[in-house]
Amino acid sequence: MIKGLLTSLLAAAALVAAPGIGSAQAPATPSYYPADYGATIEASRKENGLVIYSNMANNNWKPVLDGFRQSYPWIKVETLDLGSGTVHSRWEAEAGSGARTADLLISGANDRWAAYGLDGRMLDYRSPEAEKVPAFGKPYPGVFVASSDPLVLTYNTALLKEGQRPTGLTSLAKMAAADPGTYKGRITTYDAARNSFGLAAWWQTLHEKGDAGWTALRAIGPMIRGEVSGGPMNEKIAAGEYVVGIAVSGITIFPRLDEPGGKILGFAFPDDGTPVMLRGMGIPKQAANINSAKLFLDFLLSNKGQTLLGKGGLVPYREDVAESEVRYTYQGIAEKVGEKNMIVVGFDKALIEQAKPFVEKWNAAMQGR
């Protein structure tokens, strides 16, 4: 019995001392962090992990979570991959129920972020990394930008050979009009009537492109089959069900390009306007694990966190992230396509006010009207 007790005590001591358990040493913080930041770190040890609702897949998250775990091994992070609108509808439904819900929200539902920014539903947290990001990275108190992700044209490289591939919305409309047999029912995009991400992306795109954009959309509208998520779009393009996708989130295709069979998919930055989605992020005021959420948000905004987001297929926007370390940066895309050719999808409150008439006009365009 004594021997068994001694074995148990030794095992417990080893567990406490093991890397990754609660006693792990706190990481060093940059000199510009506040002197009391250590109190936030220590308080996180007493919390119950971290729950994140986002519209990011596991392959997007993996480099980030691996890096965060190295710094804060005692914080267990759970991520749920939801549609942009579902991120918010689920959290809003759960927030007053007393059930465990998200400690951090990340999505491209920019109408919701504009609403939260105006009504103050997010914690007005002053991140020590805030001064290191461009002004557009902090649009409202408590609302930050996690990444700046381009929306691209994607296509099946076996079905559309060189010279047959559209280069933008305008060229796609012309090609589809000239060859309706190839494109009818085989064009996809986010359905702006059913998807918050698509609503924000297409609202900003058509707001900037004006009548010419609406004319092109009406030309291909009856040929479009709308989707609510980028993953299924790319799966169906690779399978040949669709030949092309327009305004597809880059984060759903970039990681796939390096996977087996990835060469079946091709993409292009639209030459008549490349939408760039500013992906919003915030900590709800009622978050149960608020200190862990602060640490994670700061990590995502840091140079290291932004670099790891880039390795997961997202696009960092801090100016000190080296493009050689990631696939693209915001600044690199601006140089590649021309800053005037970037359609930045931000957090304009007009998106809230004009959503209903926009969706009505969108639905009509899908019928060619």
Side-chain angles (χ1 to χ4, degrees):
M1 180 181 293
I2 294 175
K3 182 179 180 181
L5 179 60
L6 180 60
T7 302
S8 297
L9 290 171
L10 289 172
L15 183 64
V16 171
I21 308 302
S23 63
Q25 185 175 357
T29 54
S31 59
Y32 55 85
Y33 274 42
D36 62 354
Y37 197 76
T40 301
I41 296 175
E42 290 308 306
S44 74
R45 296 180 187 271
K46 301 175 183 178
E47 295 180 335
N48 190 29
L50 183 65
V51 177
I52 302 173
Y53 289 178
S54 79
N55 63 330
M56 294 162 55
N58 290 338
N59 58 354
N60 301 130
W61 274 122
K62 188 179 185 310
V64 176
L65 297 183
D66 288 348
F68 185 75
R69 193 176 298 115
Q70 290 175 4
S71 296
Y72 305 103
W74 61 88
I75 301 178
K76 180 182 178 182
V77 182
E78 179 184 358
T79 62
L80 276 71
D81 178 12
L82 307 168
S84 280
T86 308
V87 165
H88 301 280
S89 61
R90 177 165 173 167
W91 170 73
E92 289 169 6
E94 294 171 345
S97 69
R100 184 171 187 187
T101 186
D103 302 301
L104 184 69
L105 307 176
I106 301 177
S107 83
N110 289 2
D111 57 332
R112 301 311 305 146
W113 289 116
Y116 294 165
L118 294 171
D119 65 20
R121 295 194 71 176
M122 296 294 107
L123 179 74
D124 185 7
Y125 175 52
R126 311 299 174 90
S127 171
E129 296 288 352
E131 297 305 313
K132 303 294 183 178
V133 302
F136 68 75
K138 41 199 172 183
Y140 295 101
V143 177
F144 296 90
V145 169
S147 61
S148 54
D149 306 307
L151 307 186
V152 297
L153 269 164
T154 58
Y155 48 80
N156 184 302
T157 59
L159 297 176
L160 294 180
K161 304 297 185 183
E162 291 284 351
Q164 297 179 307
R165 299 166 185 170
T167 58
L169 177 61
T170 304
S171 75
L172 177 58
K174 290 179 179 178
M175 288 181 173
D179 185 11
T182 295
Y183 293 97
K184 186 176 181 181
R186 302 180 75 190
I187 301 173
T188 190
T189 191
Y190 294 98
D191 187 343
R194 296 188 295 137
N195 175 269
S196 293
F197 186 96
L199 172 64
W202 278 108
W203 181 86
Q204 189 67 49
T205 296
L206 293 168
H207 178 73
E208 295 200 19
K209 294 176 74 68
D211 290 341
W214 281 107
T215 298
L217 186 64
R218 290 187 194 99
I220 61 173
M223 303 181 184
I224 290 175
R225 288 166 54 197
E227 298 278 357
V228 296
S229 179
M233 290 188 215
N234 289 317
E235 293 292 341
K236 294 176 183 180
I237 292 170
E241 185 174 340
Y242 299 132
V243 294
V244 66
I246 180 77
V248 180
S249 178
I251 79 166
T252 66
I253 185 172
F254 295 157
R256 287 200 53 171
L257 299 175
D258 299 323
E259 295 175 359
K263 291 183 179 179
I264 195 68
L265 290 171
F267 79 95
F269 295 107
D271 59 4
D272 55 351
T274 296
V276 175
M277 176 67 72
L278 301 185
R279 195 174 304 271
M281 169 172 63
I283 302 170
K285 283 182 174 178
Q286 301 83 10
N289 303 290
I290 207 157
N291 294 288
S292 299
K294 289 177 180 178
L295 297 180
F296 197 89
L297 185 146
D298 293 340
F299 182 78
L300 286 184
L301 292 178
S302 72
N303 174 278
K304 181 178 180 180
Q306 287 280 293
T307 301
L308 293 173
L309 276 171
K311 291 183 183 297
L314 281 78
V315 176
Y317 66 98
R318 274 184 64 134
E319 295 179 358
D320 59 358
V321 174
E323 193 160 45
S324 60
E325 294 291 314
V326 297
R327 186 179 291 273
Y328 297 109
T329 63
Y330 177 89
Q331 293 76 19
I333 291 174
E335 185 175 338
K336 183 178 182 66
V337 306
E339 197 152 8
K340 292 183 179 178
N341 197 40
M342 294 173 74
I343 299 172
V344 178
V345 184
F347 309 90
D348 192 337
K349 67 177 183 179
L351 180 59
I352 307 169
E353 301 162 351
Q354 298 175 17
K356 184 177 179 180
F358 176 84
V359 167
E360 291 173 354
K361 192 172 181 179
W362 167 271
N363 286 333
M366 291 301 99
Q367 299 174 34
R369 298 188 286 108

